[in-house]
Amino acid sequence: NRNRFLLIMLVAIFTLFPISAFAAQPADIQGHWAEETISEWFDKGLAKGNADGTFRPDNPVTRAEFAAMVNRAFGFTQAGTTTFSDVSPNAWFANDVSVGAQAGYIAGYGDGTFKPYNNITRQEAALMIARILNLDTSDPAQANAFADGNRISSWSKGAVGAINKTGIMKGYGDNTFRPQNPITRAESVVTIDRAMKYEPGEEPEPVASAIEGKVTFDGKGVEADVRIFAAGKYEVLKEIETEKDGLFKIELEAGYYDITAVTDKEVAYAVDVKVSANNVSNVELKLEKAAVVKGELQDKNGKTVKKAKIIFTTNPTFVGETDNKGEFSVPVLPDRSYTVRAYEPGKEDKEPRVVEKDLKVGKAGTFELEDPLEAPFTISSGGGGGGGGGGGGYTNTDKIKDLNAGKTVKGDVTLGSSEDPYGPE
């Protein structure tokens, strides 16, 4: 009957055309740095997923696949007469390669081959895009500015420089271009999308120098505290809490920086991250299980130090603060030795004082310190940042009161002194 016929037709359609062909958003782009652009491409029908509902954004792209993506995006359809010895007329990509050659962005190799199954490199992709947009490729200066500029082939250096100048393709957080690396599916989509929107004569708007990135645990973005330090230093320059998806962005001056990300039980870090002028460096901070150091901070007279910033320095640096009991809990990288420093409360504008020079921390998990850490300063009886002497330290009277209260007292105690309210009259 008619209903049964319609049901059979629907089954046949969904069998021949997987759900991914109907512009469904693939699950493996969620939280990816290129998620927004890839989603737009799916909505426009420019991107296609795999039969299993994935897009595999970090997989490489072949030269044939890149040509097909370019043709769909730019609407190139006119095939030419150019043939390559390794492109069979019956191959699925034969028409796309012919169209690309006719459009002028595909030239092939000197031996008459196209090598369609080879992964396309970033410098090859840059050259193809530069040809499509007819960019000026005579100045290699932009390419030479990359830390690995000497690895960019001479035949692509001008194109890489032009592409970088327009902002269509950018380098990585360490100021490398990685010219011979395969370009990924995500990078291809973003690069071609930027090329489509590029208008000749337009220079990109200057951007503020910054570090942006994502904090992840087991591949998923998570909330964390991110701190920025000057490379090799332990002073916190900036700190921020990430969004729920782990994303963050912090504007900085050009220079080199160390970064840490922490939760209650995990830590991540990156060192010597370069931030160039008017450039945004990208970094992914992958959290790992931490050794959570728990202990108590006392001054040199055994008095608990409250609300004091305490830092564990190696490279990188991890930061915590004592509570109202003088206790702290600081997640750090496991299996390392740390120099522990503390800021005297009320004197945070001064250099922190070394508390412990070689604190060995074991494996991941809770790491309880048996003995309190002793800071090389004294605090006032009110818990503020006063130094010793002049009534601002731990006085003889304080010690006697603590003795009468059954507390342990460090240092000498003079009984019957003028300070002793309980001494003989």
Side-chain angles (χ1 to χ4, degrees):
N1 60 36
R2 184 171 180 272
N3 289 338
R4 185 179 180 186
F5 174 76
L6 288 174
L7 179 60
I8 292 172
M9 289 299 295
L10 285 172
V11 171
I13 289 171
F14 280 96
T15 300
L16 291 171
F17 301 98
I19 292 175
S20 59
F22 289 85
Q25 299 296 312
D28 62 345
I29 68 168
Q30 293 181 9
H32 195 276
W33 64 268
E35 177 183 1
E36 183 177 347
T37 306
I38 296 172
S39 295
E40 289 178 3
W41 271 46
F42 267 83
D43 291 340
K44 295 174 183 177
L46 295 176
K48 297 179 181 179
N50 301 295
D52 61 359
T54 64
F55 182 69
R56 301 171 194 169
D58 298 318
N59 279 16
V61 175
T62 67
R63 288 169 55 81
E65 288 170 337
F66 192 80
M69 294 171 74
V70 167
N71 291 341
R72 282 200 301 271
F74 282 91
F76 297 147
T77 57
Q78 185 177 350
T81 58
T82 303
T83 59
F84 297 100
S85 61
D86 57 351
V87 177
S88 167
N90 298 321
W92 69 264
F93 49 78
N95 186 68
D96 277 309
V97 173
S98 180
V99 168
Q102 179 67 20
Y105 69 87
I106 286 178
Y109 294 88
D111 60 359
T113 63
F114 177 67
K115 301 180 182 176
Y117 298 106
N118 282 14
N119 291 334
I120 186 169
T121 64
R122 285 172 52 81
Q123 64 181 355
E124 288 174 337
L127 181 59
M128 288 188 184
I129 296 299
R131 286 171 175 166
I132 292 169
L133 300 178
N134 196 28
L135 298 178
D136 180 4
T137 60
S138 62
D139 183 9
Q142 289 284 331
N144 288 329
F146 287 112
D148 57 350
N150 61 336
R151 296 184 62 232
I152 302 173
S153 300
S154 58
W155 51 264
S156 67
K157 188 162 284 191
V160 170
I163 286 290
N164 182 49
K165 185 177 181 180
T166 62
I168 293 171
M169 284 183 77
K170 301 176 181 178
Y172 294 91
D174 58 359
N175 193 38
T176 61
F177 185 75
R178 304 175 195 176
Q180 296 167 32
N181 281 19
I183 192 170
T184 67
R185 287 166 63 82
E187 289 173 336
S188 297
V189 167
V190 171
T191 296
I192 298 170
D193 188 75
R194 288 173 179 163
M196 289 167 57
K197 297 172 181 176
Y198 173 73
E199 295 185 18
E202 277 195 353
E203 293 296 331
E205 290 291 328
V207 297
S209 304
I211 291 176
E212 68 178 6
K214 186 173 185 178
V215 181
T216 62
F217 185 68
D218 285 342
K220 297 180 180 179
V222 296
E223 289 183 86
D225 293 322
V226 176
R227 295 185 177 91
I228 305 291
F229 308 83
K233 306 294 183 181
Y234 50 74
E235 179 186 358
V236 178
L237 298 180
K238 291 190 177 182
E239 55 186 310
I240 190 173
E241 185 176 338
T242 69
E243 303 292 336
K244 289 183 178 180
D245 55 8
L247 296 175
F248 68 91
K249 183 174 182 178
I250 302 177
E251 293 189 1
L252 297 160
E253 298 293 330
Y256 288 88
Y257 298 92
D258 297 337
I259 312 172
T260 61
V262 298
T263 66
D264 289 341
K265 297 180 180 179
E266 296 92 22
V267 293
Y269 72 100
V271 297
D272 287 334
V273 177
K274 182 178 181 179
V275 175
S276 302
N278 302 319
N279 188 46
V280 178
S281 298
N282 293 283
V283 64
E284 181 179 359
L285 298 169
K286 297 181 179 180
L287 292 166
E288 60 181 277
K289 293 292 185 181
V292 182
V293 182
K294 293 179 177 290
E296 181 183 347
L297 180 66
Q298 298 180 350
D299 72 358
K300 64 182 181 180
N301 290 318
K303 194 173 185 66
T304 56
V305 183
K306 307 172 184 178
K307 298 298 181 183
K309 183 183 291 186
I310 186 168
I311 56 178
F312 288 69
T313 63
T314 169
N315 194 11
T317 294
F318 297 98
V319 181
E321 186 177 74
T322 61
D323 60 17
N324 286 325
K325 297 180 180 179
E327 296 175 350
F328 58 85
S329 177
V330 183
V332 302
L333 285 167
D335 300 314
R336 294 199 179 194
S337 294
Y338 292 88
T339 296
V340 185
R341 292 177 171 85
Y343 286 88
E344 186 174 348
K347 297 184 178 180
E348 286 79 9
D349 58 332
K350 306 295 184 182
E351 281 290 309
R353 307 288 294 276
V354 174
V355 174
E356 187 78 30
K357 288 187 177 180
D358 189 24
L359 179 66
K360 292 180 172 60
V361 176
K363 63 183 181 180
T366 302
F367 188 81
E368 296 270 4
L369 298 180
E370 294 182 3
D371 300 315
L373 295 179
E374 184 178 304
F377 52 75
T378 59
I379 59 172
S380 67
S381 58
Y394 189 43
T395 66
N396 195 71
T397 300
D398 293 329
K399 296 176 185 178
I400 294 171
K401 287 180 179 179
D402 283 348
L403 281 173
N404 286 319
K407 297 181 180 180
T408 301
V409 173
K410 289 187 177 182
D412 296 330
V413 181
T414 304
L415 298 177
S417 73
S418 60
E419 285 188 302
D420 182 5
Y422 306 103
E425 294 182 358

